[in-house]
Amino acid sequence: MFAYVVKRLISGVLVVTLVSMAIFLLFWFGPSSPAQPICDRETSNRCTQTKLALYEKTLGYDNPVYEEYGKYVKGIFVGRTLTIASNDYECGAPCLGVSFRTKQPVKEELVSRIPATFSIAIGGAFLYLLFGVPIGVAAAKRRGTVADKALVSSFLFISSIPYYLFALLTWLYLTITFEVPFFSDTGYFPITEVGPFKWFSGLFLAWVALGIFGCTQYTRFTRGAMVEALSEDYIRTAKAKGLPTRTIVYKHGLRAALVPVVTIFGIDFGTLLAGTIFTERIFEIQGIGWWSLEAVQGRDLPVVQATALFSAVVLIISNLLVDVVYSVLDPRVRLS
């Protein structure tokens, strides 16, 4: 197990390195100069070729690409001094750059937004499993009945709606049309500053939208996996031995059925941690997703690089944890 984890960590480091190189090269060899956004911002969209050349020089874009990438990687480990618009900025390790818009270290802005995104991810993922898995198990136990068909049909209808439309309608009806008091003030409020009730009420509507929409696919996954598991030979053997139905379903069937569900959950949870753009934007939550959207719109390249790198790290760790959980849920899985 230890050797396997070490191998996966090494491969994860290689993947993160390749991702950072790809992002760096995409910006470097893009259709416009990487210095163009900061030049436009500093000159109020009156950037000339002379001024652009000056900004390219101060930002190091007139140097070889391998040299600047080396400085970028070195800054992650030991920090560096960055020059933007003739101003020097000290960027401590791990240095992910300085935002073109705010002139603040990207690392500090990233850290300040992680709690909001993490809160959304925890609540949404919890509701995924809380509703999706039990309903899927119940539907599998009643396979072919009217209740089973009604559940599958209704959840298929919900999942056919685009998520951004579902979340937007949820926000509009519960906060604007009906003005439900508990849902009226959405957003992220630090629990250490406003208390748990305000923190909970600000995120609750976002959790509901994520949970209802996300649990539909978990219901279908769980139902399909349970139907397959309950048709296995060892389940028929357990029935022949006279084991209680509850034991057969939840101890033997559900344990095998959770393996594919865990796979999807690991990817989904990693994606939630990397940033839920639609959820954060619609419910006005200042998290990583909204931050990355603003960075793309404002061509804030250091922030885009940092969010992409953060997403890659989160997804790699999530996949590693999923692989480790496999061995607990299914002894047949061999980690080598």
Side-chain angles (χ1 to χ4, degrees), residues 180-205 207:
V180 180
F182 191 71
F183 300 139
S184 60
D185 193 10
T186 60
Y188 173 73
F189 306 98
I191 191 172
T192 56
E193 299 178 7
V194 299
F197 181 79
K198 185 68 173 177
W199 169 82
F200 183 86
S201 63
L203 294 170
F204 185 71
L205 191 57
W207 289 340

Side-chain angles (χ1 to χ4, degrees), residues 115-317:
T117 298
F118 189 78
S119 297
I120 298 175
I122 290 293
F126 176 74
L127 293 180
Y128 283 178
L129 300 180
L130 179 65
F131 295 122
V133 174
I135 295 175
V137 172
K141 290 171 60 179
R142 296 163 178 81
R143 180 186 179 187
T145 64
V146 175
D148 175 36
K149 294 177 180 179
L151 283 173
V152 173
S153 300
S154 60
F155 281 5
L156 185 61
F157 172 76
I158 294 174
S159 61
S160 66
I161 304 173
Y163 171 70
Y164 67 87
L165 179 60
F166 180 82
L168 182 60
L169 291 175
T170 302
W171 179 79
L172 284 175
Y173 278 106
L174 294 180
T175 61
I176 304 299
T177 304
F178 299 110
E179 298 181 355
V180 180
F182 191 71
F183 300 139
S184 60
D185 193 10
T186 60
Y188 173 73
F189 306 98
I191 191 172
T192 56
E193 299 178 7
V194 299
F197 181 79
K198 185 68 173 177
W199 169 82
F200 183 86
S201 63
L203 294 170
F204 185 71
L205 191 57
W207 289 340
V208 169
L210 270 176
I212 293 176
F213 192 86
C215 80
T216 59
Q217 64 173 339
Y218 282 88
T219 297
R220 298 198 309 273
F221 291 147
T222 304
R223 179 190 177 277
M226 279 296 295
V227 168
E228 183 178 354
L230 293 177
S231 63
E232 294 288 343
D233 291 338
Y234 68 90
I235 295 294
R236 286 194 289 268
T237 302
K239 291 180 179 178
K241 290 182 177 180
L243 291 179
T245 302
R246 185 180 183 87
T247 301
I248 295 173
V249 172
Y250 293 103
K251 184 177 180 180
H252 300 289
L254 182 59
R255 183 173 182 178
L258 281 179
V259 173
V261 175
V262 167
T263 304
I264 304 300
F265 179 75
I267 298 174
D268 285 348
F269 187 63
T271 304
L272 289 175
L273 286 177
T276 52
I277 295 177
F278 291 126
T279 304
E280 293 177 10
R281 184 66 186 88
I282 291 172
F283 297 102
E284 299 180 332
I285 299 172
Q286 292 285 351
I288 296 174
W290 192 353
W291 185 45
S292 63
L293 179 62
E294 291 179 336
V296 171
Q297 293 174 336
R299 296 186 296 174
D300 197 343
L301 303 187
V303 174
V304 176
Q305 285 180 305
T307 52
L309 198 62
F310 176 78
S311 301
V313 171
V314 167
L315 288 173
I316 289 170
I317 294 175

